[in-house]
Amino acid sequence: SQQGEEDPQALSIQEGENATMNCSYKTSINNLQWYRQNSGRGLVHLILIRSNEREKHSGRLRVTLDTSKKSSSLLITASRAADTASYFCATDASGYNKLIFGAGTRLAVHP
Amino acid sequence: NAGVTQTPKFQVLKTGQSMTLQCAQDMNHEYMSWYRQDPGMGLRLIHYSVGAGITDQGEVPNGYNVSRSTTEDFPLRLLSAAPSQTSVYFCASSYGDRGDTGELFFGEGSRLTVL
C-alpha cells in the first residue's frame, strides 16, 4: 500500500500561472520529500521538509507540511513550459531508507 | 562523478529466464534501494539496504533477490521472470543520518519487458 497520495492526478495550466499539488499520507513521518520526473528519465530531488518544519522554499518552489492533517503541498510559482513533468511526494515514516512514494501528479504547462 | 549508474537500460526476457540488473554509485552513500515504476502506480519499493551486508524487503519483494557486498554496488536479481515483472526499474542511493533518510539520487532506469 502506498503511504502518500497526490492530488490532483493531473493538472494543466498556462505559463505564468501557479501550480499547486497536494500530498496526503497515513502515518507519522520523519520527513517528506518532493521529486520531479521528466518523461523517460529518473527522478530528481526537489525539496525535503522535516516533521518539525512547517514551510520551506527553494527558488520558485514552496512546500508546506501540516502534520496534524498529515498533508503537504507543493507550490510552483510563475510556471514555465519546462516545468512540465510528473511530481511525486515520498515519505520517510520508519527511517533507515524506507522511502515510500505516492502515485504522482502529472503537470502540463502550456506556452 | 557518475552518480548512480544502472545497466542495462533495456532488456527483453522470456518467461522463466533469470537476469541481474546492475546498480553502482560513486558517492559513498550507505543507503541504496530498488524501485519499480508501473503506469499509474508511482514507485514501489522492492528491496533496500542501509549498508554493506545489510538488506531488507520493501513493499513488493517477491520474485526478486538482492545482495550488498560492497558500498558501491547493489544488484537486483530476477530469479524466474514473469510478465508481471514488466516494468521500469530504478536504483537510488542516499546518505543516511541516524535513521533519517536523505534525498535520493536516482539512476536513469532499466526498462524490462518479459514476454
Short mmCIF file of all heavy atoms in Angstrom, two decimals, chain B residues 74-97:
data_model
loop_
_atom_site.label_atom_id
_atom_site.label_comp_id
_atom_site.label_asym_id
_atom_site.label_seq_id
_atom_site.Cartn_x
_atom_site.Cartn_y
_atom_site.Cartn_z
N PHE B 74 24.81 -2.63 -5.82
CA PHE B 74 23.58 -3.18 -5.26
C PHE B 74 22.79 -3.84 -6.39
O PHE B 74 21.85 -3.27 -6.93
CB PHE B 74 22.76 -2.07 -4.60
CG PHE B 74 21.61 -2.55 -3.75
CD1 PHE B 74 21.74 -3.63 -2.89
CD2 PHE B 74 20.39 -1.89 -3.79
CE1 PHE B 74 20.70 -4.06 -2.10
CE2 PHE B 74 19.32 -2.31 -3.00
CZ PHE B 74 19.48 -3.39 -2.15
N PRO B 75 23.16 -5.04 -6.80
CA PRO B 75 22.48 -5.70 -7.92
C PRO B 75 21.13 -6.26 -7.52
O PRO B 75 20.93 -6.71 -6.39
CB PRO B 75 23.46 -6.81 -8.31
CG PRO B 75 24.21 -7.11 -7.05
CD PRO B 75 24.32 -5.81 -6.31
N LEU B 76 20.21 -6.25 -8.49
CA LEU B 76 18.86 -6.82 -8.31
C LEU B 76 18.72 -8.02 -9.22
O LEU B 76 18.89 -7.90 -10.44
CB LEU B 76 17.80 -5.77 -8.66
CG LEU B 76 16.33 -6.23 -8.56
CD1 LEU B 76 15.92 -6.39 -7.10
CD2 LEU B 76 15.40 -5.24 -9.27
N ARG B 77 18.40 -9.17 -8.65
CA ARG B 77 18.27 -10.40 -9.42
C ARG B 77 16.81 -10.80 -9.58
O ARG B 77 16.08 -10.83 -8.59
CB ARG B 77 19.05 -11.53 -8.75
CG ARG B 77 20.53 -11.28 -8.68
CD ARG B 77 21.28 -12.44 -8.02
NE ARG B 77 22.68 -12.10 -7.85
CZ ARG B 77 23.16 -11.42 -6.81
NH1 ARG B 77 22.35 -11.04 -5.85
NH2 ARG B 77 24.45 -11.15 -6.73
N LEU B 78 16.43 -11.07 -10.80
CA LEU B 78 15.12 -11.67 -11.08
C LEU B 78 15.35 -13.17 -11.21
O LEU B 78 16.11 -13.61 -12.07
CB LEU B 78 14.52 -11.11 -12.37
CG LEU B 78 13.83 -9.76 -12.27
CD1 LEU B 78 14.85 -8.65 -12.09
CD2 LEU B 78 12.97 -9.51 -13.49
N LEU B 79 14.72 -13.92 -10.36
CA LEU B 79 15.03 -15.34 -10.25
C LEU B 79 14.40 -16.16 -11.38
O LEU B 79 15.04 -17.04 -11.95
CB LEU B 79 14.55 -15.86 -8.89
CG LEU B 79 15.04 -15.02 -7.70
CD1 LEU B 79 14.39 -15.47 -6.41
CD2 LEU B 79 16.56 -15.07 -7.60
N SER B 80 13.15 -15.89 -11.71
CA SER B 80 12.43 -16.57 -12.78
C SER B 80 11.41 -15.58 -13.31
O SER B 80 10.33 -15.43 -12.74
CB SER B 80 11.75 -17.84 -12.26
OG SER B 80 11.00 -18.46 -13.30
N ALA B 81 11.77 -14.88 -14.37
CA ALA B 81 10.99 -13.72 -14.82
C ALA B 81 9.55 -14.10 -15.19
O ALA B 81 9.30 -15.17 -15.79
CB ALA B 81 11.68 -13.06 -16.01
N ALA B 82 8.63 -13.21 -14.83
CA ALA B 82 7.21 -13.37 -15.15
C ALA B 82 6.73 -12.10 -15.85
O ALA B 82 7.29 -11.01 -15.62
CB ALA B 82 6.42 -13.60 -13.88
N PRO B 83 5.69 -12.21 -16.69
CA PRO B 83 5.17 -11.00 -17.37
C PRO B 83 4.80 -9.88 -16.40
O PRO B 83 4.90 -8.69 -16.75
CB PRO B 83 3.96 -11.53 -18.13
CG PRO B 83 4.29 -12.96 -18.41
CD PRO B 83 5.05 -13.43 -17.19
N SER B 84 4.39 -10.21 -15.18
CA SER B 84 4.03 -9.20 -14.19
C SER B 84 5.24 -8.37 -13.75
O SER B 84 5.07 -7.33 -13.09
CB SER B 84 3.40 -9.86 -12.96
OG SER B 84 4.31 -10.76 -12.35
N GLN B 85 6.43 -8.82 -14.09
CA GLN B 85 7.64 -8.07 -13.75
C GLN B 85 8.06 -7.10 -14.85
O GLN B 85 9.08 -6.42 -14.72
CB GLN B 85 8.78 -9.03 -13.41
CG GLN B 85 8.52 -9.82 -12.13
CD GLN B 85 9.62 -10.78 -11.80
OE1 GLN B 85 9.97 -11.65 -12.60
NE2 GLN B 85 10.18 -10.66 -10.61
N THR B 86 7.27 -7.02 -15.91
CA THR B 86 7.48 -6.00 -16.93
C THR B 86 7.28 -4.64 -16.27
O THR B 86 6.21 -4.36 -15.71
CB THR B 86 6.51 -6.17 -18.09
OG1 THR B 86 6.82 -7.39 -18.78
CG2 THR B 86 6.59 -5.00 -19.05
N SER B 87 8.32 -3.81 -16.31
CA SER B 87 8.27 -2.56 -15.57
C SER B 87 9.52 -1.74 -15.89
O SER B 87 10.40 -2.19 -16.62
CB SER B 87 8.20 -2.85 -14.07
OG SER B 87 7.95 -1.67 -13.33
N VAL B 88 9.57 -0.56 -15.31
CA VAL B 88 10.80 0.23 -15.32
C VAL B 88 11.37 0.17 -13.91
O VAL B 88 10.66 0.45 -12.94
CB VAL B 88 10.55 1.69 -15.73
CG1 VAL B 88 11.86 2.46 -15.75
CG2 VAL B 88 9.86 1.75 -17.09
N TYR B 89 12.63 -0.18 -13.81
CA TYR B 89 13.28 -0.35 -12.52
C TYR B 89 14.26 0.79 -12.28
O TYR B 89 15.07 1.13 -13.14
CB TYR B 89 14.01 -1.70 -12.47
CG TYR B 89 13.06 -2.86 -12.48
CD1 TYR B 89 12.55 -3.36 -13.68
CD2 TYR B 89 12.63 -3.43 -11.29
CE1 TYR B 89 11.65 -4.42 -13.69
CE2 TYR B 89 11.73 -4.49 -11.29
CZ TYR B 89 11.25 -4.97 -12.49
OH TYR B 89 10.35 -6.01 -12.49
N PHE B 90 14.17 1.36 -11.08
CA PHE B 90 15.06 2.45 -10.70
C PHE B 90 15.86 2.07 -9.47
O PHE B 90 15.31 1.56 -8.49
CB PHE B 90 14.27 3.72 -10.39
CG PHE B 90 13.70 4.38 -11.61
CD1 PHE B 90 12.37 4.19 -11.97
CD2 PHE B 90 14.49 5.20 -12.41
CE1 PHE B 90 11.84 4.80 -13.10
CE2 PHE B 90 13.97 5.82 -13.54
CZ PHE B 90 12.64 5.61 -13.88
N CYS B 91 17.14 2.35 -9.54
CA CYS B 91 18.02 2.22 -8.40
C CYS B 91 18.26 3.61 -7.83
O CYS B 91 18.33 4.60 -8.59
CB CYS B 91 19.34 1.57 -8.82
SG CYS B 91 20.54 1.38 -7.50
N ALA B 92 18.40 3.71 -6.53
CA ALA B 92 18.63 5.00 -5.90
C ALA B 92 19.60 4.84 -4.74
O ALA B 92 19.72 3.77 -4.15
CB ALA B 92 17.32 5.61 -5.40
N SER B 93 20.30 5.92 -4.43
CA SER B 93 21.18 5.90 -3.27
C SER B 93 21.01 7.20 -2.49
O SER B 93 20.54 8.21 -3.03
CB SER B 93 22.65 5.75 -3.70
OG SER B 93 23.15 6.93 -4.28
N SER B 94 21.36 7.16 -1.22
CA SER B 94 21.29 8.36 -0.39
C SER B 94 22.21 8.21 0.81
O SER B 94 22.62 7.10 1.15
CB SER B 94 19.86 8.62 0.08
OG SER B 94 19.46 7.63 1.00
N TYR B 95 22.54 9.34 1.42
CA TYR B 95 23.25 9.27 2.68
C TYR B 95 22.23 8.94 3.77
O TYR B 95 21.02 9.13 3.58
CB TYR B 95 23.97 10.59 2.98
CG TYR B 95 23.04 11.73 3.30
CD1 TYR B 95 22.61 11.98 4.60
CD2 TYR B 95 22.57 12.57 2.30
CE1 TYR B 95 21.75 13.01 4.90
CE2 TYR B 95 21.70 13.61 2.58
CZ TYR B 95 21.29 13.83 3.88
OH TYR B 95 20.43 14.86 4.15
N GLY B 96 22.68 8.45 4.87
CA GLY B 96 21.79 8.19 5.99
C GLY B 96 22.36 8.83 7.23
O GLY B 96 23.58 8.91 7.39
N ASP B 97 21.52 9.36 8.05
CA ASP B 97 21.97 10.02 9.27
C ASP B 97 21.11 9.58 10.43
O ASP B 97 20.02 10.11 10.63
CB ASP B 97 21.91 11.54 9.09
CG ASP B 97 22.40 12.28 10.32
OD1 ASP B 97 23.01 11.63 11.20
OD2 ASP B 97 22.19 13.49 10.42
#
